[in-house]
Amino acid sequence: NYANIQSGMAHNFDKYDNTVVNTQNTPYDYASVMHYESDAFSINGLPTIEPLQSGVTVGQRDNMSSIDIQ
């Protein structure tokens, strides 16, 4: 949700395809310790990230996920 992102911070949401990123055949990891929280860089407290998959929580800083470890 680019309208909710602080000025000058949109570059943090740049996307890279599989020609740049090697996912090592793992699924997308919403629970990764490296994943931004849903309101990362928000200018207004509203979500900047909304998962495509329903019922998942994004971003946490407690520990590495099983996919992080993998």
Side-chain angles (χ1 to χ4, degrees):
N1 297 321
Y2 285 95
N4 297 334
I5 298 173
Q6 297 172 18
S7 177
M9 295 297 172
H11 68 276
N12 289 296
F13 299 91
D14 289 350
K15 296 178 183 180
Y16 300 95
D17 63 25
N18 289 336
T19 64
V20 178
V21 176
N22 182 348
T23 62
Q24 299 184 6
N25 297 315
T26 59
Y28 189 86
D29 189 6
Y30 289 106
S32 174
V33 72
M34 298 185 299
H35 200 297
Y36 289 142
E37 295 178 336
S38 62
D39 62 351
F41 304 101
S42 179
I43 195 169
N44 53 16
L46 296 174
T48 53
I49 300 171
E50 292 187 49
L52 296 176
Q53 183 178 337
S54 62
V56 297
T57 302
V58 296
Q60 54 86 23
R61 297 294 181 262
D62 296 323
N63 50 40
M64 294 191 326
S65 70
S66 59
I67 296 174
D68 285 333
I69 293 167
Q70 196 176 25

